[in-house]
Amino acid sequence: MIRESTVERVRSAKNVFALTGAGVSAESGVPTFRGGGGATVWKGMPFDVISSAQMVERDLAAVWEWFDYRRGVLRELKPNAAHTTLAEWEEKFNDFTLATQNIDGLHAAAGLKDVLELHGTIWQARCLACDRSKSLRDERGGEQPQRPPVCGTCGGEMRPDVVLFGEMLPANVLERAAEAAERCDVCFVIGTSGVVYPAAGLAEIAKRAGAYVIEINPERTALSDLCDETIKGQAGEILPRFQI
Ligand code: OAD
């Protein structure tokens, strides 16, 4: 159930900020990292080991194998009602900013034009030597692409353009997200367990700056106590009900 007063508050908001996590893609078939029967493990390695900065140095081939596997899964998946509703909100609100921890590209696939990808994107590679990036979108499933990819500019080895454990978030992206969190009157926290920082800290920034913080999640999270209200349920069912 969503309270009528909450719907009204959201409808009349001028500046809206949304922070999303893996749960927003769950209804598309993307597995979450936590909850629902234990943490993700791949070839015996917990995801925070295979997705770590040290693994890039130790075994870049294994890192590519893991992200190629995930990209293969994602290639078949479509945005759900949560993604499409949030893409519509970008058009409807005066000022709407969405920052996601997801690397799956599903917000953009739903039509959201300006997505702040705090943890990068699985659809790009980045050169370890010169930092240039290139899209992996054109790689076809089935064919075996070159691994690691070679940079077209300097010939260096490339890595997935994602933020791994032990790495900093892209400073300009985090800065824009923090600014939006600071100026919003309503902040949505959708489908995140709220345990990974600095992303989770964006909800704290919004709250400290006086925003009304609404969480959408079937479970309680590390951010629930900070939120003004938690709407229990699936993002793809709850978000369209606001009928902005
Ligand atoms: P988690 O897997 O930690 O949390 C997913 C959250 O989504 C949980 O709180 C679930 O209860 C909730 N959830 C599940 N289904 C949902 C649905 N249909 N609608 C709404 N919520 C739902 O994912 P994140 O919080 O995104 O970082 O994880 C944060 C970061 O941890 C990830 O970006 C990744 C990971 O390590 C990196 O890889 C750097």
Side-chain angles (χ1 to χ4, degrees):
M1 269 298 283
I2 312 177
R3 292 200 291 259
E4 195 49 42
S5 59
T6 306
V7 173
E8 273 318 309
R9 185 190 284 273
V10 172
R11 286 192 186 145
S12 59
K14 294 216 161 35
N15 308 312
V16 176
F17 173 69
L19 170 68
T20 67
V24 84
S25 295
E27 290 153 87
S28 293
V30 183
T32 58
F33 297 94
R34 303 172 186 84
T40 309
V41 173
W42 188 73
K43 294 196 173 174
M45 268 182 281
F47 69 90
D48 53 349
V49 173
I50 183 68
S51 298
S52 69
Q54 290 91 321
M55 276 304 277
V56 171
E57 285 164 28
R58 211 185 320 144
D59 194 347
L60 184 58
V63 173
W64 272 107
E65 213 185 311
W66 161 235
F67 282 97
D68 282 343
Y69 162 74
R70 289 175 65 187
R71 207 175 315 99
V73 172
L74 288 170
R75 209 179 279 281
E76 309 301 323
L77 303 182
K78 305 248 174 319
N80 64 56
H83 298 109
T84 50
T85 301
L86 291 164
E88 286 163 18
W89 286 9
E90 187 177 48
E91 304 300 323
K92 292 183 175 165
F93 286 107
N94 236 358
D95 177 5
F96 178 79
T97 304
L98 184 142
T100 188
Q101 297 165 86
N102 302 344
I103 59 173
D104 56 29
L106 287 172
H107 283 299
L112 193 75
K113 293 188 196 76
D114 192 12
V115 188
L116 297 178
E117 292 177 311
L118 298 164
H119 293 166
T121 171
I122 200 164
W123 298 103
Q124 251 175 224
R126 190 174 83 237
C127 180
L128 285 164
C130 77
D131 226 34
R132 290 230 165 70
S133 54
K134 82 166 176 190
S135 173
L136 298 169
R137 285 262 180 208
D138 294 337
E139 287 184 345
R140 294 273 150 256
E143 292 166 30
Q144 187 45 54
Q146 185 173 14
R147 289 293 179 258
V150 171
C151 175
T153 306
C154 78
E157 284 186 336
M158 303 189 93
R159 55 165 281 175
D161 194 7
V162 297
V163 174
L164 301 171
F165 281 93
E167 294 182 327
M168 307 277 279
L169 273 60
N172 56 336
V173 177
L174 182 60
E175 204 173 298
R176 281 189 59 204
E179 280 165 13
E182 180 96 39
R183 71 171 181 268
C184 71
D185 16 88
V186 170
C187 169
F188 279 91
V189 179
I190 308 164
T192 178
S193 55
V195 295
V196 174
Y197 282 75
L202 293 166
E204 295 167 355
I205 292 175
K207 178 71 184 172
R208 264 201 310 273
Y212 190 81
V213 184
I214 304 170
E215 176 175 63
I216 300 178
N217 200 307
E219 293 169 24
R220 281 192 70 75
T221 74
L223 291 171
S224 296
D225 283 343
L226 168 143
C227 293
D228 292 288
E229 66 177 280
T230 294
I231 303 174
K232 275 204 161 195
Q234 313 234 70
E237 284 174 21
I238 303 289
L239 285 167
R241 291 201 209 148
F242 280 92
Q243 299 191 330
I244 303 300

